[in-house]
Amino acid sequence: MPKSKDEFDQLHPCDFYEADELLEPEKMYTVYEIARLMQGLDPNAEIDVETEEILLDWAIPWVIVNAEDLVVGEPESDDEPGYYGLKTDT
């Protein structure tokens, strides 16, 4: 149910990282790792499943919005996620 803005102590701008601010140019990341990076966590940080699901709700649209700046690498097997990285000139 929607809430009134006055119910919140503080409102923050909805500001997301640009792809080149978040990802290192020479690395490829899974969407799970991108989700962690968006929260300032190490890409290999251990987090509980419920938190990971919430973070994915932010990371998946971020990948879609930034698709022009990304390349995709195929997963090693069908049961693993794909990889995303910065599109570079190399």
Side-chain angles (χ1 to χ4, degrees):
M1 171 176 254
K3 291 185 173 189
S4 170
K5 287 182 179 177
D6 355 340
E7 292 184 43
F8 297 89
D9 293 334
Q10 189 174 12
L11 297 174
H12 306 278
C14 190
D15 189 19
F16 294 98
Y17 290 101
E18 296 291 326
D20 62 350
E21 296 173 317
L22 189 65
L23 307 178
E24 294 183 36
E26 70 282 352
K27 293 189 178 179
M28 297 288 284
Y29 303 86
T30 67
V31 71
Y32 301 99
E33 293 165 337
I34 291 171
R36 287 172 176 79
L37 289 170
M38 290 177 70
Q39 295 299 312
L41 300 172
D42 182 276
N44 298 313
E46 290 290 326
I47 57 175
D48 60 75
V49 173
E50 293 82 15
T51 301
E52 186 164 66
E53 289 173 356
I54 292 168
L55 297 183
L56 285 176
D57 286 345
W58 290 88
I60 292 169
W62 182 90
V63 168
I64 293 168
V65 166
N66 288 281
E68 282 187 20
D69 299 323
L70 302 175
V71 293
V72 179
E74 294 291 325
E76 293 180 16
S77 67
D78 289 342
D79 61 342
E80 292 183 15
Y83 287 82
Y84 302 89
L86 285 177
K87 188 183 293 182
T88 59
D89 295 335
T90 59

